[in-house]
Amino acid sequence: GEWHGSGRSKVGKGCSCSTTGMRHEDYYLSGQFSEPENDAQQHYTETLVTLDGSAHCYDFATEEQLVATIRVNRENLGIPDDAVVYISGSNFYKITPEVAEVWTNIVAGTPNSRLVLYPFNPNWSSNYAVAAFQKRLAGSFARHGLSEEQLIILDCVPNRADVLERLKLGDVYLDSYPFAGATSLLDPLTIGLSTVAMGGSTFRSRMGLALLKELQI
């Protein structure tokens, strides 16, 4: 995304979470929490301008009142009441084999735990390699001696209210890395779900961390 300022300056911003690389873009607008402390300019062909905080701003004031179309609970998913449930809505494309390995290790290190994923956001794609994704993650779980019941992969749901409903299953929300979440983190933060994010050295790997820092959590 971009907007035209006064005169002939052109400004890119966080809708594109990396430099445009275009010589006619003059500035890139970001936030101090979203950039590394040392030499953030090296990642941009534009002149980097940083605002206080994360430089992320979301406004749902004009969004219609959404009503959940699903009712989900641990019982109907076969999750014990005393299980520790890690959950994530990180998109399919962000859950690389390295991310899957880390999350598998987390589950393996937590007795009586589950990993619940809902990675098939229709805003990203209408054609996901669902079977291959499920096979890859199931294989990772099997290599760590984890049972099939400890991995639950859910289909997409009609609206954000449904996402909030299924997040109530979780104890801890896991953000992806190195392509961190931003919009997807609004949902666990909305319901007060404990959220874990890892910060890296670029805007796209610091978005989740930036939101948590701005909220002072």
Side-chain angles (χ1 to χ4, degrees):
E2 64 181 38
W3 52 268
H4 293 262
S6 59
R8 301 181 63 181
S9 295
K10 297 189 72 178
V11 181
K13 57 183 175 62
C15 291
S16 173
C17 53
S18 64
T19 182
T20 66
M22 299 177 182
R23 63 180 181 272
H24 61 271
E25 291 286 329
D26 301 299
Y27 300 98
Y28 189 95
L29 193 63
S30 185
Q32 291 179 354
F33 291 162
S34 300
E35 299 294 339
E37 293 183 4
N38 299 318
D39 199 17
Q41 179 62 61
Q42 67 175 310
H43 299 293
Y44 296 92
T45 57
E46 309 89 348
T47 297
L48 178 64
V49 178
T50 56
L51 307 174
D52 291 339
S54 68
H56 287 280
C57 182
Y58 301 92
D59 182 4
F60 293 97
T62 59
E63 186 178 85
E64 62 180 290
Q65 187 63 39
L66 298 175
V67 177
T69 65
I70 63 169
R71 289 292 179 266
V72 61
N73 56 56
R74 292 191 174 198
E75 182 179 7
N76 61 31
L77 289 177
I79 303 174
D81 289 340
D82 61 348
V84 176
V85 176
Y86 297 101
I87 190 167
S88 182
S90 296
N91 188 264
F92 167 93
Y93 296 107
K94 296 182 180 182
I95 305 176
T96 63
E98 292 80 6
V99 170
E101 184 71 12
V102 171
W103 290 355
T104 303
N105 278 319
I106 290 173
V107 175
T110 309
N112 191 28
S113 62
R114 302 290 189 276
L115 177 62
V116 177
L117 304 177
Y118 52 99
F120 308 119
N121 187 329
N123 294 321
W124 281 63
S125 175
S126 60
N127 185 24
Y128 289 102
V130 175
F133 178 80
Q134 293 174 329
K135 182 179 179 180
R136 174 163 64 84
L137 266 71
S140 180
F141 267 53
R143 288 193 298 273
H144 287 76
L146 300 173
S147 67
E148 293 181 4
E149 292 76 20
Q150 290 179 268
L151 174 65
I152 300 170
I153 302 176
L154 303 174
D155 292 330
C156 65
V157 285
N159 63 53
R160 186 169 180 254
D162 293 322
V163 172
L164 299 180
E165 188 69 21
R166 65 173 32 162
L167 278 169
K168 296 174 185 178
L169 296 166
D171 296 297
V172 178
Y173 185 92
L174 300 177
D175 188 26
S176 55
Y177 178 87
F179 199 149
T183 308
S184 57
L185 290 191
L186 299 182
D187 301 322
L189 294 174
T190 294
I191 68 166
L193 183 60
S194 296
T195 300
V196 179
M198 182 184 293
S201 59
T202 62
F203 182 99
R204 71 176 60 192
S205 64
R206 294 181 63 85
M207 297 185 294
L209 173 66
L211 290 176
L212 298 185
K213 288 182 68 174
E214 188 156 20
L215 293 171
Q216 299 183 354
I217 47 176

XYZ file of all heavy atoms in Angstrom, residues 12-20 27-56 199-211 213-214:
406
model
N 5.813 4.463 1.237
C 5.331 3.109 1.464
C 5.102 2.906 2.942
O 5.639 3.631 3.780
N 4.297 1.906 3.304
C 4.006 1.682 4.721
C 3.805 0.200 4.986
O 4.019 -0.638 4.113
C 2.784 2.485 5.146
C 1.515 2.222 4.354
C 0.383 3.136 4.806
C -0.868 2.968 3.952
N -1.455 1.638 3.987
N 3.394 -0.094 6.219
C 3.381 -1.460 6.707
C 2.422 -2.421 6.051
O 2.461 -3.609 6.360
N 1.549 -1.965 5.157
C 0.707 -2.921 4.422
C 1.568 -3.867 3.603
O 1.178 -4.996 3.316
C -0.270 -2.179 3.517
S -1.544 -1.287 4.413
N 2.743 -3.381 3.197
C 3.754 -4.237 2.584
C 4.889 -4.327 3.583
O 5.571 -3.331 3.843
C 4.259 -3.632 1.270
O 5.352 -4.382 0.774
N 5.070 -5.522 4.190
C 5.959 -5.597 5.359
C 7.425 -5.792 4.978
O 8.186 -6.460 5.680
C 5.497 -6.691 6.302
S 5.272 -8.283 5.504
N 7.817 -5.202 3.854
C 9.224 -5.149 3.461
C 9.396 -3.993 2.493
O 8.414 -3.416 2.014
C 9.672 -6.466 2.811
O 8.976 -6.681 1.606
N 10.613 -3.662 2.209
C 10.882 -2.588 1.260
C 10.231 -2.877 -0.091
O 10.105 -4.033 -0.495
C 12.399 -2.399 1.084
O 12.639 -1.315 0.175
C 13.054 -3.658 0.546
N 9.831 -1.832 -0.772
C 9.288 -2.031 -2.114
C 10.395 -2.323 -3.115
O 10.165 -2.967 -4.135
C 8.528 -0.782 -2.596
O 9.462 0.304 -2.758
C 7.443 -0.383 -1.612
N 10.044 7.228 0.750
C 10.087 6.966 2.184
C 9.323 5.684 2.518
O 8.392 5.292 1.813
C 9.458 8.125 2.968
C 10.146 9.449 2.764
C 9.649 10.377 1.857
C 11.303 9.768 3.467
C 10.272 11.584 1.646
C 11.935 10.980 3.275
C 11.422 11.877 2.362
O 12.054 13.090 2.154
N 9.744 5.062 3.612
C 8.998 3.920 4.160
C 8.659 4.258 5.603
O 9.540 4.590 6.405
C 9.820 2.629 4.105
C 9.013 1.400 4.451
C 8.433 0.624 3.454
C 8.804 1.025 5.778
C 7.673 -0.492 3.761
C 8.043 -0.091 6.095
C 7.484 -0.848 5.092
O 6.724 -1.938 5.393
N 7.369 4.170 5.932
C 6.876 4.554 7.249
C 6.733 3.319 8.120
O 5.991 2.394 7.794
C 5.522 5.249 7.099
C 4.974 5.994 8.313
C 5.893 7.140 8.704
C 3.572 6.523 7.997
N 7.452 3.286 9.235
C 7.434 2.130 10.125
C 7.375 2.619 11.571
O 7.119 3.793 11.825
C 8.679 1.263 9.879
O 8.629 0.076 10.649
N 7.577 1.693 12.515
C 7.532 2.036 13.928
C 8.804 1.614 14.630
O 9.472 0.657 14.225
N 9.151 2.289 15.713
C 10.391 1.987 16.422
C 10.410 0.556 16.953
O 11.446 -0.106 16.927
C 10.588 2.985 17.564
C 10.878 4.400 17.097
C 11.054 5.377 18.243
O 10.850 5.032 19.406
N 11.423 6.605 17.925
N 9.254 0.077 17.441
C 9.206 -1.287 17.960
C 9.286 -2.333 16.841
O 9.625 -3.486 17.085
C 7.920 -1.519 18.753
C 7.848 -0.770 20.052
C 6.629 -0.583 20.687
C 8.984 -0.247 20.642
C 6.547 0.098 21.889
C 8.912 0.444 21.844
C 7.690 0.629 22.472
N 8.958 -1.920 15.625
C 8.925 -2.851 14.501
C 10.265 -2.980 13.787
O 10.399 -3.798 12.874
C 7.858 -2.420 13.485
O 6.585 -2.391 14.081
N 11.231 -2.189 14.193
C 12.538 -2.192 13.534
C 13.640 -2.532 14.535
O 13.525 -2.227 15.722
C 12.831 -0.816 12.918
C 11.840 -0.369 11.858
C 11.869 -1.232 10.603
O 12.894 -1.903 10.374
O 10.872 -1.238 9.862
N 14.718 -3.183 14.072
C 15.847 -3.444 14.966
C 16.503 -2.134 15.382
O 16.424 -1.128 14.667
C 16.788 -4.293 14.107
C 16.442 -3.935 12.699
C 14.966 -3.657 12.703
N 17.156 -2.149 16.528
C 17.765 -0.920 17.052
C 18.956 -0.480 16.212
O 19.233 0.713 16.105
C 18.189 -1.134 18.507
C 17.032 -1.329 19.467
C 17.498 -1.465 20.901
O 18.727 -1.336 21.139
O 16.656 -1.713 21.779
N 19.666 -1.436 15.615
C 20.892 -1.100 14.901
C 20.720 -1.208 13.387
O 20.399 -2.264 12.863
C 22.031 -2.030 15.347
C 22.335 -1.893 16.830
O 22.360 -0.791 17.366
N 22.558 -3.015 17.495
N 20.904 -0.105 12.710
C 20.974 -0.044 11.252
C 19.766 -0.653 10.552
O 19.908 -1.481 9.642
C 22.257 -0.716 10.762
C 22.623 -0.291 9.333
O 22.078 0.737 8.871
O 23.420 -0.989 8.699
N 18.578 -0.238 10.963
C 17.365 -0.717 10.295
C 17.307 -0.233 8.847
O 16.706 -0.889 7.984
C 16.130 -0.235 11.050
N 17.950 0.879 8.562
C 17.911 1.450 7.222
C 18.454 0.487 6.169
O 18.034 0.534 5.002
C 18.709 2.757 7.198
C 18.783 3.451 5.851
C 17.423 3.871 5.315
O 16.732 4.656 5.934
N 17.026 3.341 4.160
N 19.340 -0.420 6.546
C 19.957 -1.319 5.571
C 18.934 -2.215 4.870
O 19.199 -2.757 3.796
C 21.007 -2.204 6.259
C 20.416 -3.195 7.240
C 21.441 -4.143 7.828
O 22.209 -4.738 7.087
N 21.456 -4.260 9.153
N 17.747 -2.367 5.465
C 16.725 -3.238 4.887
C 15.827 -2.515 3.891
O 14.901 -3.126 3.355
C 15.863 -3.830 6.011
C 16.638 -4.660 6.986
N 17.215 -5.857 6.655
C 16.943 -4.436 8.291
C 17.832 -6.362 7.706
N 17.692 -5.525 8.704
N 16.071 -1.237 3.658
C 15.165 -0.449 2.832
C 15.908 0.305 1.740
O 16.982 0.875 1.976
C 14.394 0.564 3.692
C 13.493 -0.085 4.708
C 13.952 -0.357 5.998
C 12.199 -0.462 4.371
C 13.125 -0.980 6.930
C 11.374 -1.081 5.290
C 11.845 -1.337 6.575
O 11.030 -1.962 7.483
N 15.325 0.320 0.548
C 15.833 1.206 -0.497
C 15.272 2.609 -0.302
O 15.853 3.587 -0.768
C 15.444 0.693 -1.893
O 14.016 0.566 -1.978
C 16.074 -0.669 -2.167
N 14.124 2.713 0.368
C 13.543 4.012 0.696
C 14.253 4.598 1.930
O 14.972 3.894 2.638
C 12.046 3.878 1.022
C 11.237 3.116 -0.008
C 11.197 1.616 0.256
O 11.983 1.122 1.108
O 10.387 0.931 -0.386
N 14.020 5.852 2.215
C 14.464 6.442 3.475
C 13.480 6.018 4.558
O 12.276 6.253 4.443
C 14.505 7.978 3.380
O 15.466 8.365 2.392
C 14.885 8.600 4.719
N 13.985 5.377 5.586
C 13.132 4.846 6.651
C 12.763 5.948 7.631
O 13.629 6.681 8.125
C 13.860 3.721 7.390
C 13.118 3.089 8.566
C 11.847 2.391 8.091
C 14.031 2.108 9.306
N 11.472 6.062 7.905
C 10.962 7.000 8.901
C 10.203 6.188 9.946
O 9.292 5.421 9.602
C 10.020 8.045 8.265
C 9.469 8.985 9.333
C 10.751 8.816 7.184
N 10.575 6.323 11.224
C 9.926 5.526 12.271
C 9.094 6.400 13.204
O 9.522 7.472 13.632
C 10.958 4.747 13.105
O 11.920 5.652 13.649
C 11.661 3.688 12.258
N 7.892 5.906 13.511
C 7.008 6.528 14.477
C 7.204 5.868 15.832
O 7.793 4.787 15.935
C 5.553 6.363 14.040
C 5.192 6.819 12.628
C 3.740 6.453 12.324
C 5.411 8.310 12.478
N 6.695 6.478 16.877
C 6.699 5.833 18.177
C 5.820 4.579 18.127
O 4.810 4.534 17.415
C 6.151 6.773 19.253
C 7.083 7.947 19.522
O 8.282 7.834 19.191
O 6.610 8.968 20.060
N 6.189 3.562 18.881
C 5.365 2.363 18.967
C 5.591 1.426 17.802
O 6.688 1.334 17.241
N 4.513 0.722 17.407
C 4.627 -0.320 16.395
C 4.320 0.153 14.977
O 4.659 -0.515 14.005
C 3.662 -1.466 16.725
O 2.314 -1.030 16.579
N 3.638 1.288 14.854
C 3.151 1.817 13.569
C 2.022 0.979 13.002
O 1.683 1.093 11.835
C 4.265 1.966 12.541
N 1.426 0.114 13.818
C 0.233 -0.628 13.412
C -0.983 0.037 14.050
O -0.975 0.365 15.235
C 0.293 -2.081 13.891
C 1.276 -2.904 13.129
N 1.000 -3.432 11.881
C 2.535 -3.289 13.419
C 2.047 -4.106 11.443
N 2.992 -4.042 12.357
N 11.010 -12.076 18.296
C 11.413 -10.949 17.472
C 12.708 -11.222 16.739
O 13.634 -11.827 17.281
N 12.788 -10.776 15.488
C 13.997 -10.944 14.691
C 14.618 -9.605 14.349
O 14.497 -8.636 15.096
N 15.233 -9.540 13.190
C 15.997 -8.352 12.813
C 15.394 -7.598 11.638
O 16.043 -6.724 11.062
C 17.443 -8.752 12.466
O 17.451 -9.691 11.397
N 14.159 -7.915 11.262
C 13.484 -7.211 10.174
C 12.042 -6.928 10.570
O 11.505 -7.540 11.502
C 13.475 -8.046 8.876
O 12.750 -9.268 9.111
C 14.889 -8.373 8.417
N 11.429 -6.015 9.838
C 10.043 -5.634 10.114
C 9.134 -6.863 10.155
O 8.349 -7.043 11.082
C 9.570 -4.658 9.036
C 8.166 -4.140 9.227
C 7.938 -2.899 9.790
C 7.065 -4.895 8.829
C 6.637 -2.421 9.960
C 5.770 -4.429 8.996
C 5.562 -3.185 9.562
N 9.235 -7.735 9.148
C 8.313 -8.856 9.044
C 8.502 -9.864 10.166
O 7.597 -10.630 10.471
C 8.445 -9.540 7.684
C 9.719 -10.314 7.476
C 9.694 -11.031 6.148
N 9.563 -10.094 5.044
C 9.279 -10.466 3.798
N 9.087 -11.725 3.516
N 9.197 -9.579 2.845
N 9.684 -9.877 10.793
C 9.909 -10.801 11.902
C 9.728 -10.129 13.261
O 9.920 -10.768 14.304
C 11.315 -11.412 11.814
O 12.303 -10.417 11.964
N 9.344 -8.864 13.272
C 9.163 -8.146 14.538
C 7.739 -7.646 14.743
O 7.441 -7.002 15.748
C 10.129 -6.945 14.601
C 11.587 -7.332 14.649
C 12.486 -6.108 14.724
N 12.264 -5.329 15.936
C 12.839 -5.583 17.100
N 13.674 -6.606 17.224
N 12.593 -4.828 18.154
N 6.835 -7.926 13.812
C 5.478 -7.368 13.904
C 4.763 -7.827 15.167
O 4.147 -7.027 15.880
C 4.668 -7.751 12.662
C 5.211 -7.186 11.373
S 4.159 -7.543 9.932
C 4.319 -9.332 9.816
N 4.815 -9.129 15.464
C 4.150 -9.642 16.650
C 4.754 -9.085 17.908
O 4.052 -8.639 18.828
N 6.089 -9.093 17.978
C 6.795 -8.539 19.133
C 6.429 -7.072 19.332
O 6.214 -6.619 20.466
C 8.303 -8.681 18.929
C 9.182 -7.997 19.972
C 9.015 -8.663 21.323
C 10.639 -8.029 19.520
N 6.335 -6.324 18.233
C 6.034 -4.894 18.316
C 4.670 -4.644 18.949
O 4.503 -3.745 19.784
C 6.104 -4.259 16.924
N 3.672 -5.465 18.574
C 2.348 -5.305 19.158
C 2.361 -5.592 20.658
O 1.755 -4.861 21.455
C 1.354 -6.226 18.458
C 0.976 -5.869 17.020
C 0.057 -6.939 16.431
C 0.313 -4.505 16.946
N 4.931 -5.358 22.685
C 5.685 -4.274 23.367
C 4.821 -3.024 23.508
O 4.838 -2.348 24.536
C 6.950 -3.952 22.597
C 8.023 -5.034 22.694
C 9.285 -4.645 21.935
C 9.995 -3.488 22.588
N 11.298 -3.208 21.924
N 4.046 -2.707 22.454
C 3.217 -1.509 22.522
C 2.136 -1.649 23.590
O 1.744 -0.683 24.248
C 2.590 -1.235 21.161
C 1.857 0.108 21.099
C 1.739 0.639 19.687
O 1.871 -0.136 18.728
O 1.495 1.846 19.559
